[in-house]
Amino acid sequence: MNSLIPLLVAAPLAGAALLLLGGRALDRFGHWLATGLAALSFGFGLVLFSDLLGRDAEHRTVTTRLFSWVPVNGFQADVSFRLDQLSMTFVLLITGVGTLIHLYSVGYMAYDERRRRFFAYLNLFLAAMLLLVVADNYLLLYFGWEGVGLASYLLIGFWQHKPSAATAAKKAFIVNRVGDLGLSIAIMLMFAEFGSFAFGPVFGGASGASEGKLTAIGLMLLLAACGKSAQVPLQSWLGDAMEGPTPVSALIHAATMVTAGVYLIIRSSAIFDLAPDAQTAVVVVGAVTLLFGAVVGCAKDDIKKALAGSTMSQIGYMVMAAGLGPIGYAFAIMHLVTHGFFKAGLFLGAGSVMHGMNDEVDMRRYGGLRKYMPWTYRTFAVGYLAIIGVPPLSGFFSKDKIIEAAFAKGGTEGWILGLCALVGAAVTAFYMTRVMLLTFFGEKRWQPDAQGNAPHPHESPSTMTVPMVLLALGSACAGGIFAYHDAFLKWLEPVTGHSEGNPPFGSWTVSGLTTACMLAGVGVSYLMYGRSPVPVVPPVGSPLTRAARRDLLQDDFNHAVLVRPGSALTATLVFFDSRGLDGFVNGLAATIGGLSSRMRRVQNGFVRSYALSMFGGTLLLVASTLLVRSF
Amino acid sequence: MNPVNYLYLSALLFTIGASGVLIRRNAIVLFMCVELMLNASNLALVTFSRLHGTLDGQIIAFFTMVVAAAEVVVGLAIIVSIFRTRHSASVDDSNLMKL
């Protein structure tokens, strides 16, 4: 069985290599090859899953060592894999959703002339992401971490002929680098402290380390998670990342890659459990982001950017839950998986709408699409009900548990977090209802574009609708299955541990509160967008709306705090360099040049003047010899 | 006669030769001035030989004559070929290494 784990990564990696190196010969069937390899990887995942299920709960951690990567004395890095309940969950999510999105892309990218390359990048992403979650040491995890960053960069900028896409790709890459720096520093700290970065020695040695060092490692890991998972303060790249093709947004920027930060935190739970300050930082980041993303999601008219705000907010929930400690770990992962289903489904639905609407993304130019795209409408509606947490769909179970865990933290902290989460739930219901109403209900608001092509909304081909239906099924049922007899909790408990905390009130009260908040959000949204016609030109709006349209001024903030001082610093350095250093060097060169051009005149070509200089020289020699002799 | 007077004569001849080299433009005259300088040094060498009572200076004077003879052969050939190509024997006209 162990030998299957490397194959899990190898299958999509081989696909990426084949498609990138294979050339035009693979143009006709390359996309099916990529989809097949993703499905193969999913098949391996299922086999491994059934194998794990057949074991005792305590013996479900499988490790296998492939080869020694960096065999240096005192610094051993192996390519070794660890498959336990946590990574198994991720493997199934990544390969399962990944396969569906490959299938969807077959239809979505059918007319793109660079389709083969697109599928190669998708496979590359799968391989890197799988490597990230099955790695048995932080260095290999870092390798996968960088790999998904690369794939994300390549795919955001896939339509590189659009300057906005190229810029967005660079932005994502650069912001992610800041986070990656955190991860590399964390790994160095681990090596300095524990003498190793393999999971076993690090987690085993954590209890012997000082709290200060663990806090430092934890904060650096949090920085890494912020970058990859688009958490405040490194959130600015996610909205722009929507420039990529929609399947990419669904797979990478909703379901899998952006959740890598949550994985990192929970994987390092042994460190965070012993560093309460770092945990507090994680909780604060999560709570701030869940509100931040929700507010941004409310104001965006671009359907993908509204969903991106929502993704940020939902990951905020997960990060917050991960920061709660053993109370929240399992629920963070549970929400992560259900979110993977419904958010991927929502993005695929958005892609299907854009596909039928000449790539229009402005929701104010949609309206009344439910008649034209029945399957898209139905699957989107299931995703919508799931994300706002309508019982008994999956979002209800997972989000409810997180809110419960937030209250269970206890004390003032628990109350603040719980209320934040409740407000977040209400705002989630508000903006998702808004998306739903603007897109599928109301009157038609679409108009011919600049070239006079009126959109003809139509349902997408079956390669696109089938994955949407399957994801909708997952969004509907996953939560119930996971929550049935706490199955998911029991599955993850051996890895993450679990404690109940001390909730101030029972779980039914929390469910009631959450549902009430959700209904309030839906109601307000209906009053604002459901009853009166929606203007095509967005109204000016309140200062908060205007700020939220600009992503709550995140770019202005980054510009003022980071870009301006940075530019000023470089301008100073350039000035010093060009005037100071270059001035000195150039002045020296000019002096020597001037001197030599004067010396050059001595070489005039007249024999007699050469003779004169010879005589003069001889005279000097003789005179100096005599002078020296006379002393 | 005091042999030192020959040295004065030698210095005088050398100076005449040197100033001729520096002042005159005609290649032939220049050449003759060079010869004058060589012979001035020969005179000085022979005088030193006499003063010291050894033969070293005279032997070197012979060498100088041989060198001067060779120099005349090569130098005149060069002057003739320059005169043929440039139609001028002025050294200032041939201030370039090419035509």
Side-chain angles (χ1 to χ4, degrees):
Chain A
M1 270 309 129
N2 292 2
S3 57
L4 269 186
I5 305 175
L7 287 180
L8 212 60
V9 182
L13 194 63
L18 265 179
L19 289 180
L20 283 178
L21 302 175
R24 297 231 178 93
L26 295 171
D27 269 352
R28 275 191 306 123
F29 60 94
H31 46 290
W32 288 114
L33 178 72
T35 313
L37 285 169
L40 182 68
S41 200
F42 182 54
F44 290 148
L46 284 179
V47 172
L48 288 165
F49 180 57
S50 68
D51 178 56
L52 285 197
L53 278 184
R55 299 169 185 235
D56 299 337
E58 299 304 319
H59 298 99
R60 283 178 178 162
T61 301
V62 184
T63 54
T64 176
R65 185 172 164 282
L66 200 58
F67 58 89
S68 185
W69 183 16
V70 188
V72 178
N73 206 8
F75 180 96
Q76 293 294 330
D78 291 342
V79 174
S80 55
F81 301 120
R82 163 191 293 235
L83 193 71
D84 56 13
Q85 292 92 325
L86 181 60
S87 35
M88 192 69 241
T89 313
F90 269 88
V91 165
L92 288 180
L93 175 75
I94 295 160
T95 54
V97 175
T99 307
L100 290 178
I101 289 174
H102 271 73
L103 186 62
Y104 177 91
S105 308
V106 170
Y108 191 82
M109 301 298 282
Y111 301 104
D112 198 294
E113 57 190 14
R114 293 163 71 232
R115 179 172 60 174
R116 177 172 53 84
R117 186 177 293 260
F118 179 80
F119 277 89
Y121 292 159
L122 275 190
N123 264 3
L124 179 67
F125 168 76
L126 279 191
M129 187 75 201
L130 288 168
L131 188 65
L132 198 169
V133 296
V134 297
D136 192 29
N137 60 57
Y138 278 99
L139 203 64
L140 195 59
L141 183 148
Y142 188 63
F143 189 74
W145 189 270
E146 293 295 320
V148 292
L150 169 70
S152 160
Y153 165 78
L154 291 172
L155 286 166
I156 294 170
F158 184 71
W159 287 323
Q160 61 207 187
H161 52 85
K162 286 197 294 185
S164 57
T167 315
K170 276 188 277 184
K171 185 175 180 186
F173 198 79
I174 290 167
V175 177
N176 265 300
R177 299 258 22 115
V178 180
D180 297 347
L181 193 69
L183 184 53
S184 63
I185 294 175
I187 294 173
M188 291 178 216
L189 286 174
M190 279 174 202
F191 189 74
E193 180 64 24
F194 307 112
S196 168
F197 32 69
F199 288 160
V202 171
F203 301 153
S207 52
S210 73
E211 197 186 314
K213 287 194 173 131
L214 289 174
T215 308
I217 296 175
L219 288 177
M220 285 299 118
L221 289 174
L222 173 63
L223 180 66
C226 281
K228 199 57 88 189
S229 293
Q231 301 293 295
V232 176
L234 297 178
Q235 82 290 7
S236 64
W237 63 274
L238 187 62
D240 293 295
M242 296 300 125
E243 287 290 341
T246 310
V248 173
S249 312
L251 177 61
I252 301 186
H253 306 121
T256 54
M257 186 193 84
V258 285
T259 58
V262 183
Y263 171 79
L264 184 69
I265 293 174
I266 294 180
R267 178 54 88 192
S268 315
S269 57
I271 291 169
F272 281 99
D273 284 344
L274 295 169
D277 291 341
Q279 271 190 326
T280 311
V282 174
V283 169
V284 170
V285 165
V288 169
T289 311
L290 93 84
L291 292 175
F292 186 103
V295 172
V296 170
C298 290
K300 289 287 182 185
D301 288 329
D302 179 329
I303 185 168
K304 284 178 74 182
K305 291 199 170 163
L307 289 177
S310 156
T311 303
M312 208 186 280
S313 162
Q314 299 301 315
I315 295 173
Y317 271 107
M318 298 169 209
V319 169
M320 188 183 83
L324 292 173
I327 318 172
Y329 289 142
F331 301 132
I333 297 293
M334 184 163 146
H335 193 55
L336 195 155
V337 175
T338 57
H339 174 258
F341 281 118
F342 56 68
K343 188 51 68 66
L346 287 170
F347 263 110
L348 294 190
S352 177
V353 169
M354 285 161 58
H355 195 69
M357 294 290 288
N358 292 354
D359 286 330
E360 176 65 76
V361 290
D362 187 355
M363 289 190 289
R364 291 184 184 275
R365 294 180 182 278
Y366 292 167
L369 289 175
R370 70 181 185 282
K371 279 176 292 193
Y372 300 91
M373 306 179 179
W375 281 104
T376 305
Y377 164 64
R378 280 170 217 157
T379 55
F380 201 92
V382 173
Y384 155 72
L385 293 175
I387 191 174
I388 65 172
V390 172
L393 287 109
S394 60
F396 167 74
F397 293 101
S398 53
K399 195 186 289 180
D400 195 54
K401 285 288 182 192
I402 289 182
I403 297 174
E404 208 178 306
F407 277 116
K409 178 78 177 170
T412 329
E413 202 187 341
W415 275 99
I416 296 173
L417 294 175
L419 289 177
C420 279
L422 277 179
V423 172
V427 184
T428 305
F430 173 82
Y431 67 71
M432 283 315 298
T433 311
R434 175 173 175 272
V435 169
M436 196 71 197
L437 290 174
L438 287 182
T439 306
F440 292 104
F441 292 89
E443 72 286 14
K444 299 182 231 176
R445 291 186 302 274
W446 59 83
Q447 292 152 352
D449 61 11
Q451 285 86 41
N453 301 323
H456 299 288
H458 54 269
E459 188 53 278
S460 300
S462 58
T463 46
M464 288 167 70
T465 48
V466 169
M468 284 153 61
V469 170
L470 290 175
L471 284 172
L473 276 179
S475 328
C477 310
I481 296 169
F482 290 164
Y484 185 70
H485 287 313
D486 287 334
F488 197 77
L489 189 58
K490 283 181 188 142
W491 160 252
L492 271 184
E493 200 175 345
V495 186
T496 60
H498 183 66
S499 69
E500 283 298 328
N502 36 4
F505 29 70
S507 58
W508 285 107
T509 323
V510 176
S511 300
L513 277 174
T514 315
T515 313
C517 284
M518 181 262 289
L519 287 176
V522 172
V524 172
S525 190
Y526 179 74
L527 289 179
M528 283 178 71
Y529 298 100
R531 295 206 310 173
S532 53
V534 180
V536 173
V537 178
V540 180
S542 65
L544 181 63
T545 316
R546 287 202 298 274
R549 278 192 195 128
R550 293 173 61 90
D551 299 301
L552 290 180
L553 309 180
Q554 61 183 16
D555 290 336
D556 306 74
F557 177 81
N558 285 349
H559 196 75
V561 175
L562 300 171
V563 178
R564 285 252 198 80
S567 320
L569 182 67
T570 45
T572 318
L573 289 177
V574 165
F575 180 81
F576 176 72
D577 188 49
S578 60
R579 293 294 168 85
L581 293 177
D582 286 6
F584 172 70
V585 174
N586 288 344
L588 197 64
T591 313
I592 290 174
L595 276 178
S596 48
S597 66
R598 294 221 162 67
M599 301 262 287
R600 186 168 54 82
R601 298 207 185 127
V602 176
Q603 302 279 336
N604 54 8
F606 292 116
V607 171
R608 295 184 302 142
S609 88
Y610 295 156
L612 179 62
S613 55
M614 275 166 67
F615 282 130
T618 318
L619 207 64
L620 269 178
L621 280 176
V622 171
S624 58
T625 315
L626 289 178
L627 203 65
V628 171
R629 279 263 189 92
S630 65
F631 285 115
Chain B
M1 203 160 89
N2 188 0
V4 178
N5 290 336
Y6 291 103
L7 287 183
Y8 291 132
L9 177 64
S10 158
L12 190 67
L13 286 173
F14 191 89
T15 312
I16 292 169
S19 31
V21 166
L22 294 181
I23 293 166
R24 301 301 298 266
R25 289 191 196 132
N26 190 316
I28 303 287
V29 177
L30 218 73
F31 206 62
M32 293 198 301
C33 290
V34 170
E35 290 298 315
L36 204 54
M37 286 157 69
L38 283 169
N39 284 311
S41 59
N42 270 354
L43 183 57
L45 285 167
V46 172
T47 308
F48 286 133
S49 177
R50 169 85 179 191
L51 281 174
H52 292 128
T54 56
L55 286 177
D56 299 1
Q58 297 189 25
I59 290 168
I60 297 175
F62 276 116
F63 277 105
T64 314
M65 283 177 204
V66 172
V67 170
E71 184 222 334
V72 167
V73 173
V74 179
L76 274 178
I78 292 174
I79 290 172
V80 168
S81 81
I82 286 179
F83 183 78
R84 278 192 185 153
T85 50
R86 294 180 202 249
H87 306 290
S88 152
S90 167
V91 287
D92 284 2
D93 285 348
S94 49
N95 58 352
L96 294 173
M97 297 284 274
K98 57 179 184 180
L99 280 177

XYZ file of all heavy atoms in Angstrom, chain A residues 69-70 75 77-81 127-151 173-188 190 197-199 220-221 223-225 228 257 260 263-264 267-268:
507
model
N 17.080 13.067 -0.011
C 17.084 14.238 -0.895
C 18.373 15.023 -0.707
O 19.119 15.270 -1.655
C 15.847 15.079 -0.569
C 15.641 16.284 -1.411
C 16.242 16.569 -2.610
C 14.765 17.373 -1.137
N 15.783 17.762 -3.080
C 14.884 18.281 -2.206
C 13.894 17.673 -0.096
C 14.171 19.462 -2.255
C 13.178 18.844 -0.147
C 13.309 19.727 -1.223
N 18.644 15.424 0.520
C 19.870 16.173 0.813
C 20.627 15.400 1.881
O 20.416 15.607 3.066
C 19.555 17.589 1.326
C 20.833 18.398 1.430
C 18.559 18.289 0.433
N 22.387 17.242 8.415
C 21.253 17.901 7.757
C 20.658 16.873 6.806
O 21.108 16.741 5.667
C 21.746 19.141 6.993
C 20.677 19.909 6.285
C 20.106 21.016 6.885
C 20.240 19.538 5.013
C 19.126 21.740 6.240
C 19.259 20.251 4.365
C 18.707 21.357 4.984
N 17.608 15.575 4.729
C 16.278 15.827 4.178
C 15.926 14.652 3.287
O 16.660 14.322 2.362
C 16.255 17.117 3.392
N 14.821 14.008 3.606
C 14.385 12.870 2.810
C 13.152 13.247 2.018
O 12.390 14.117 2.426
C 14.018 11.695 3.720
C 15.243 11.115 4.390
O 16.350 11.402 3.887
O 15.079 10.418 5.397
N 12.995 12.598 0.875
C 11.693 12.661 0.226
C 10.888 11.524 0.825
O 11.000 10.374 0.423
C 11.821 12.511 -1.290
C 10.443 12.430 -1.921
C 12.557 13.702 -1.864
N 10.167 11.860 1.886
C 9.377 10.824 2.537
C 7.963 11.348 2.742
O 7.746 12.546 2.893
C 10.007 10.437 3.875
O 10.177 11.577 4.662
N 7.037 10.433 2.709
C 5.631 10.818 2.732
C 4.968 10.315 3.999
O 5.326 9.279 4.542
C 4.903 10.242 1.517
C 5.492 10.700 0.216
C 6.005 9.780 -0.690
C 5.554 12.045 -0.096
C 6.553 10.208 -1.884
C 6.103 12.474 -1.282
C 6.604 11.552 -2.180
N -0.125 17.967 -8.641
C 1.052 17.266 -8.123
C 1.657 18.033 -6.957
O 1.973 17.454 -5.910
C 2.077 17.089 -9.243
N 1.802 19.357 -7.128
C 2.428 20.153 -6.072
C 1.573 20.154 -4.812
O 2.072 20.039 -3.695
C 2.654 21.581 -6.565
N 0.264 20.269 -4.999
C -0.621 20.335 -3.841
C -0.619 19.002 -3.095
O -0.624 18.952 -1.860
C -2.031 20.693 -4.327
C -3.012 20.966 -3.232
S -2.758 22.567 -2.452
C -3.590 22.303 -0.903
N -0.598 17.891 -3.860
C -0.553 16.578 -3.207
C 0.757 16.403 -2.461
O 0.788 15.875 -1.342
C -0.746 15.468 -4.245
C -2.173 15.361 -4.774
C -2.233 14.470 -5.989
C -3.091 14.818 -3.690
N 1.847 16.879 -3.075
C 3.136 16.802 -2.404
C 3.094 17.582 -1.098
O 3.610 17.137 -0.069
C 4.211 17.370 -3.323
C 5.649 17.200 -2.853
C 6.004 15.733 -2.814
C 6.592 17.947 -3.753
N 2.447 18.749 -1.145
C 2.342 19.588 0.050
C 1.660 18.826 1.184
O 2.113 18.866 2.324
C 1.550 20.845 -0.320
C 1.591 22.093 0.543
C 0.936 23.234 -0.217
C 0.902 21.939 1.843
N 0.576 18.134 0.877
C -0.180 17.532 1.972
C 0.341 16.166 2.392
O 0.049 15.734 3.497
C -1.696 17.433 1.670
C -2.283 18.813 1.517
C -1.974 16.584 0.475
N 1.110 15.471 1.541
C 1.605 14.163 1.984
C 3.073 14.213 2.420
O 3.628 13.193 2.793
C 1.429 13.045 0.932
C -0.027 12.813 0.641
C 2.202 13.355 -0.316
N 3.680 15.387 2.387
C 5.087 15.484 2.787
C 5.231 15.121 4.262
O 4.342 15.384 5.066
C 5.597 16.895 2.548
N 6.375 14.510 4.586
C 6.606 14.117 5.973
C 7.608 15.031 6.647
O 8.011 14.789 7.772
C 7.092 12.668 6.039
C 7.070 12.143 7.469
O 6.237 12.620 8.250
O 7.892 11.267 7.789
N 8.082 16.044 5.963
C 8.918 17.029 6.645
C 8.627 18.395 6.049
O 8.036 18.520 4.982
C 10.402 16.661 6.549
C 10.868 16.600 5.121
O 10.756 17.563 4.379
N 11.387 15.442 4.728
N 9.048 19.419 6.797
C 8.678 20.771 6.393
C 9.389 21.209 5.120
O 8.874 22.048 4.384
C 8.968 21.761 7.524
C 7.884 21.790 8.564
C 8.005 21.087 9.750
C 6.729 22.508 8.343
C 7.004 21.110 10.693
C 5.720 22.543 9.288
C 5.860 21.843 10.460
O 4.857 21.869 11.379
N 10.570 20.633 4.858
C 11.280 21.068 3.665
C 10.551 20.601 2.407
O 10.399 21.344 1.436
C 12.711 20.531 3.685
C 13.681 21.336 2.832
C 13.838 22.737 3.372
C 15.033 20.666 2.780
N 10.086 19.357 2.451
C 9.345 18.840 1.306
C 8.010 19.566 1.183
O 7.545 19.874 0.077
C 9.127 17.335 1.482
C 8.695 16.565 0.236
C 9.720 16.709 -0.851
C 8.493 15.099 0.570
N 7.417 19.869 2.334
C 6.176 20.646 2.329
C 6.420 22.004 1.675
O 5.613 22.480 0.869
C 5.697 20.817 3.771
C 4.372 21.530 4.006
C 3.702 20.945 5.237
C 4.521 23.010 4.234
N 7.568 22.584 2.000
C 7.922 23.879 1.419
C 8.046 23.779 -0.097
O 7.639 24.676 -0.829
C 9.238 24.342 2.035
C 9.640 25.744 1.677
C 8.860 26.824 2.064
C 10.799 25.996 0.965
C 9.225 28.108 1.747
C 11.172 27.285 0.652
C 10.388 28.334 1.043
O 10.753 29.602 0.724
N 8.600 22.643 -0.541
C 8.730 22.411 -1.981
C 7.349 22.424 -2.635
O 7.122 23.096 -3.646
C 9.434 21.070 -2.201
C 9.812 20.803 -3.624
C 10.867 21.473 -4.201
C 9.106 19.881 -4.378
C 11.209 21.235 -5.508
C 9.450 19.637 -5.687
C 10.509 20.320 -6.258
N 6.424 21.676 -2.049
C 5.066 21.668 -2.581
C 4.415 23.036 -2.481
O 3.699 23.485 -3.379
N 4.705 23.729 -1.389
C 4.163 25.068 -1.131
C 4.569 26.024 -2.257
O 3.757 26.795 -2.776
C 4.728 25.522 0.214
C 4.199 26.759 0.823
C 4.675 28.018 0.643
C 3.110 26.869 1.753
N 3.953 28.899 1.407
C 2.996 28.225 2.096
C 2.245 25.944 2.318
C 2.030 28.684 2.983
C 1.296 26.412 3.202
C 1.193 27.769 3.523
N 5.857 25.955 -2.629
C 6.329 26.794 -3.722
C 5.742 26.332 -5.054
O 5.452 27.136 -5.929
C 7.859 26.750 -3.796
C 8.543 27.379 -2.612
C 8.278 28.866 -2.535
O 8.267 29.529 -3.579
O 8.054 29.360 -1.427
N 5.589 25.015 -5.171
C 5.021 24.472 -6.411
C 3.617 24.973 -6.654
O 3.283 25.392 -7.771
N 2.777 24.975 -5.605
C 1.412 25.470 -5.825
C 1.435 26.967 -6.107
O 0.636 27.471 -6.896
C 0.460 25.159 -4.650
C 0.200 23.686 -4.547
C 0.965 25.705 -3.351
N 2.397 27.674 -5.483
C 2.510 29.102 -5.776
C 2.840 29.326 -7.236
O 2.261 30.198 -7.896
N 3.748 28.510 -7.748
C 4.124 28.627 -9.159
C 2.935 28.331 -10.055
O 2.628 29.079 -10.993
C 5.270 27.662 -9.466
C 5.589 27.498 -10.950
C 6.212 28.755 -11.491
C 6.510 26.318 -11.184
N 2.233 27.223 -9.756
C 1.095 26.848 -10.593
C 0.035 27.940 -10.532
O -0.574 28.295 -11.559
C 0.520 25.517 -10.119
N 2.006 36.454 -6.955
C 3.310 35.837 -6.718
C 4.084 36.620 -5.670
O 4.651 36.054 -4.736
C 4.085 35.789 -8.031
C 5.216 34.814 -8.012
C 4.967 33.471 -8.185
C 6.508 35.229 -7.811
C 5.994 32.558 -8.166
C 7.551 34.326 -7.787
C 7.283 32.986 -7.970
N 4.073 37.934 -5.808
C 4.886 38.751 -4.898
C 4.317 38.707 -3.488
O 5.050 38.529 -2.511
C 4.972 40.189 -5.427
C 5.830 40.219 -6.680
C 5.566 41.104 -4.378
C 5.737 41.487 -7.452
N 2.987 38.837 -3.371
C 2.398 38.801 -2.027
C 2.658 37.435 -1.398
O 2.974 37.325 -0.209
C 0.895 39.107 -2.089
C 0.283 38.985 -0.710
C 0.661 40.487 -2.631
N 2.564 36.378 -2.213
C 2.827 35.047 -1.680
C 4.264 34.889 -1.221
O 4.551 34.152 -0.284
C 2.502 33.987 -2.729
C 1.106 33.454 -2.529
O 0.810 32.916 -1.481
N 0.240 33.646 -3.503
N 5.172 35.574 -1.894
C 6.586 35.479 -1.482
C 6.760 35.948 -0.045
O 7.587 35.425 0.684
C 7.497 36.316 -2.387
C 7.483 35.905 -3.789
C 8.654 35.094 -4.265
N 9.419 34.396 -3.277
C 9.491 33.082 -3.201
N 8.811 32.342 -4.009
N 10.259 32.511 -2.315
N 5.986 36.988 0.331
C 6.113 37.482 1.702
C 5.771 36.357 2.671
O 6.482 36.110 3.649
C 5.192 38.697 1.912
C 5.316 39.210 3.325
C 5.531 39.785 0.925
N 4.667 35.656 2.360
C 4.291 34.536 3.208
C 5.322 33.424 3.166
O 5.671 32.843 4.204
N 5.846 33.136 1.972
C 6.828 32.056 1.833
C 8.061 32.336 2.677
O 8.670 31.426 3.243
C 7.239 31.902 0.367
C 6.067 31.494 -0.485
O 5.041 31.095 0.095
O 6.155 31.583 -1.721
N 8.400 33.620 2.767
C 9.520 34.004 3.608
C 9.261 33.551 5.036
O 10.153 33.020 5.708
C 9.679 35.518 3.543
C 10.968 36.072 4.103
C 12.102 35.666 3.195
C 10.888 37.575 4.208
N 8.004 33.763 5.500
C 7.650 33.328 6.847
C 7.873 31.844 7.009
O 8.455 31.391 8.003
N 7.446 31.054 6.006
C 7.601 29.604 6.122
C 9.072 29.228 6.157
O 9.494 28.379 6.954
C 6.888 28.901 4.960
C 6.884 27.383 5.019
C 6.353 26.882 6.342
C 6.073 26.805 3.879
N 9.877 29.862 5.308
C 11.289 29.470 5.306
C 11.947 29.852 6.627
O 12.770 29.093 7.152
C 12.025 30.072 4.116
O 12.021 31.459 4.203
N 11.572 31.004 7.184
C 12.157 31.371 8.480
C 11.710 30.375 9.550
O 12.519 29.944 10.391
C 11.764 32.807 8.869
C 12.399 33.788 7.899
C 12.211 33.124 10.283
C 11.977 35.202 8.117
N 10.423 29.981 9.486
C 9.927 29.013 10.464
C 10.725 27.716 10.374
O 11.094 27.130 11.401
C 8.447 28.749 10.230
N 11.020 27.274 9.139
C 11.768 26.023 8.983
C 13.173 26.178 9.550
O 13.696 25.293 10.242
C 11.804 25.607 7.503
C 10.395 25.269 7.034
C 12.710 24.416 7.296
C 10.294 25.004 5.562
N 13.783 27.343 9.295
C 15.132 27.555 9.836
C 15.106 27.553 11.359
O 15.985 26.968 12.006
C 15.686 28.888 9.332
C 15.988 28.893 7.856
S 16.558 30.526 7.381
C 15.850 30.691 5.776
N 13.000 26.025 13.233
C 12.805 24.640 13.671
C 14.117 23.889 13.644
O 14.459 23.160 14.579
C 11.837 23.928 12.724
C 10.397 24.207 12.992
S 9.478 23.419 11.678
C 7.990 24.351 11.753
N 13.735 19.015 10.610
C 12.450 19.601 10.240
C 11.460 18.521 9.823
O 10.465 18.802 9.189
C 12.596 20.648 9.139
C 13.712 20.338 8.192
C 13.609 19.270 7.342
C 14.867 21.094 8.207
C 14.639 18.960 6.508
C 15.911 20.775 7.360
C 15.793 19.704 6.505
N 11.774 17.280 10.143
C 10.795 16.220 9.901
C 9.696 16.341 10.966
O 9.940 16.805 12.080
C 11.466 14.866 9.990
N 8.495 15.944 10.589
C 7.367 16.150 11.492
C 7.595 15.464 12.845
O 7.370 16.059 13.893
C 6.079 15.612 10.857
C 5.583 16.468 9.718
C 4.709 15.952 8.779
C 5.982 17.790 9.606
C 4.247 16.739 7.739
C 5.527 18.588 8.572
C 4.657 18.052 7.633
N 5.662 32.836 12.516
C 6.176 32.734 11.150
C 5.297 31.804 10.314
O 5.019 32.065 9.144
C 7.619 32.214 11.177
C 8.619 33.248 11.608
S 8.652 34.662 10.492
C 8.172 35.967 11.563
N 4.846 30.707 10.938
C 3.935 29.808 10.222
C 2.641 30.544 9.896
O 2.054 30.377 8.824
C 3.635 28.565 11.057
C 4.785 27.577 11.201
C 4.406 26.473 12.172
C 5.135 26.971 9.863
N 2.355 33.731 9.345
C 2.636 34.626 8.215
C 2.533 33.851 6.906
O 1.933 34.315 5.921
C 4.031 35.226 8.375
C 4.476 36.188 7.276
C 3.609 37.427 7.296
C 5.931 36.576 7.448
N 3.115 32.639 6.896
C 3.040 31.801 5.705
C 1.588 31.509 5.359
O 1.165 31.623 4.202
C 3.800 30.504 5.941
N 0.804 31.158 6.380
C -0.595 30.825 6.141
C -1.350 32.038 5.619
O -2.208 31.924 4.739
C -1.223 30.307 7.432
N -0.581 32.419 1.820
C -1.177 31.425 0.929
C -2.688 31.452 1.012
O -3.368 31.220 0.011
C -0.633 30.047 1.320
C -0.766 28.968 0.296
C -0.098 29.326 -1.004
C 1.348 28.947 -1.072
N 1.996 29.513 -2.280
N -5.882 25.329 -2.965
C -4.614 25.959 -2.588
C -4.777 26.955 -1.455
O -3.956 26.990 -0.532
C -3.960 26.669 -3.769
C -2.589 27.195 -3.397
S -1.884 28.336 -4.568
C -2.632 29.855 -4.064
N -4.355 25.792 1.994
C -3.082 25.221 2.444
C -2.630 25.854 3.754
O -1.992 25.198 4.580
C -2.014 25.402 1.372
N -4.225 24.061 6.509
C -3.539 22.776 6.669
C -2.259 22.958 7.456
O -1.964 22.206 8.397
C -3.231 22.178 5.295
C -2.342 20.960 5.360
C -2.864 19.721 5.699
C -0.983 21.052 5.106
C -2.055 18.605 5.778
C -0.164 19.948 5.182
C -0.698 18.722 5.520
O 0.106 17.632 5.598
N -1.485 24.003 7.084
C -0.197 24.224 7.736
C -0.385 24.437 9.234
O 0.340 23.877 10.055
C 0.485 25.432 7.105
C 1.889 25.734 7.616
C 2.843 24.658 7.169
C 2.362 27.079 7.116
N -1.562 21.163 10.818
C -0.472 20.190 10.814
C 0.529 20.518 11.913
O 1.095 19.642 12.536
C 0.192 20.201 9.422
C 1.364 19.296 9.251
C 1.067 17.889 9.617
N 0.529 17.070 8.541
C -0.004 15.865 8.744
N -0.095 15.361 9.961
N -0.482 15.175 7.734
N 0.725 21.806 12.160
C 1.680 22.223 13.184
C 0.996 22.415 14.526
O 1.479 23.185 15.359
C 2.351 23.530 12.771
O 2.735 23.479 11.428
